[in-house]
Amino acid sequence: MQSSVFESLGTRPGIPTGGLWPWVIVAASVPVGLGLARLVVHAFRRAASVVARRTATPWDEKLLDAAIGPMTRCLGVLLTAGLARMTRVGQELVVDLRSILSALFIGGVAWLLMRVVGILTEVLDARAVRHLEEGSESSRGLRTQARVLERVARVLLVIVAGARVVGPRAARWWDGGRGALRVRARNVA
């Protein structure tokens, strides 16, 4: 009985499903998944740049440029894992590497959010410089506040992303109420 998509589809046209072929498919899923992610993000960029050119704000094009790398990483992880799961070997491998794949995905989301925070700071800074040139004294304080808020937001993003990556594994080992590490008992039969 076949337990994966590829194996059930492969039996009809005569594609071999045993031996080395599942490993070849898993290995091929990495470049194919990353390549598909680049193509999808490129198509998204072209469509979004048409919309961004029609607006008068300068930050939307910066935001679009900043989002390309993180979007490619997140989509690449999702597509690679999805393609690798087409075989039984790939399903087991994705389950075994789930923590690494989720860390890569969470890192991509955190990267995107850090870039958004940086762009928002640049927009606030440009606005403060305009007000400073017009003679406003409060714009120096605005620039300082923008830089401080940027650093605080970045530190919070790193803490939250790190907690999301480490949290599930640490929760398995940490006994929340007593403050002691649990020792896993092995079944010895």
Side-chain angles (χ1 to χ4, degrees):
M1 183 171 140
Q2 290 82 25
S3 64
S4 70
V5 175
F6 175 75
E7 289 173 352
S8 63
L9 292 176
T11 55
R12 290 185 198 126
I15 299 172
T17 58
L20 190 60
W21 283 105
W23 288 101
V24 170
I25 291 170
V26 169
S29 69
V30 175
V32 170
L34 294 176
L36 285 173
R38 287 184 63 109
L39 287 173
V40 168
V41 169
H42 178 72
F44 170 76
R45 181 187 174 118
R46 292 194 67 173
S49 66
V50 170
V51 174
R53 276 190 238 125
R54 293 182 182 178
T55 62
T57 58
W59 57 267
D60 54 357
E61 292 172 359
K62 290 180 183 179
L63 186 62
L64 183 61
D65 290 338
I68 296 303
M71 283 177 49
T72 304
R73 175 191 278 182
C74 291
L75 193 59
V77 167
L78 291 175
L79 288 174
T80 299
L83 290 172
R85 290 184 62 127
M86 290 176 63
T87 64
R88 189 175 333 149
V89 172
Q91 290 173 357
E92 295 169 4
L93 192 62
V94 168
V95 168
D96 291 341
L97 297 177
R98 183 175 49 204
S99 61
I100 293 172
L101 295 172
S102 66
L104 287 171
F105 184 79
I106 291 169
V109 171
W111 181 20
L112 175 65
L113 292 175
M114 282 190 185
R115 286 189 156 196
V116 167
V117 166
I119 289 170
L120 291 176
T121 303
E122 287 178 18
V123 169
L124 285 175
D125 196 34
R127 185 173 292 172
V129 167
R130 260 196 330 255
H131 287 292
L132 186 63
E133 290 171 353
E134 293 173 359
S136 175
E137 290 295 321
S138 64
S139 58
R140 282 190 186 149
L142 182 64
R143 290 181 77 187
T144 303
Q145 288 175 355
R147 294 292 177 202
V148 169
L149 286 175
E150 175 190 22
R151 290 184 181 135
V152 168
R154 286 178 185 244
V155 167
L156 286 175
L157 281 170
V158 168
I159 290 171
V160 169
R164 291 297 303 163
V165 169
V166 177
R169 279 174 284 184
R172 283 186 237 135
W173 287 91
W174 184 259
D175 187 8
R178 294 186 303 244
L181 289 178
R182 276 188 267 174
V183 178
R184 291 187 180 181
R186 296 186 185 257
N187 293 334
V188 179

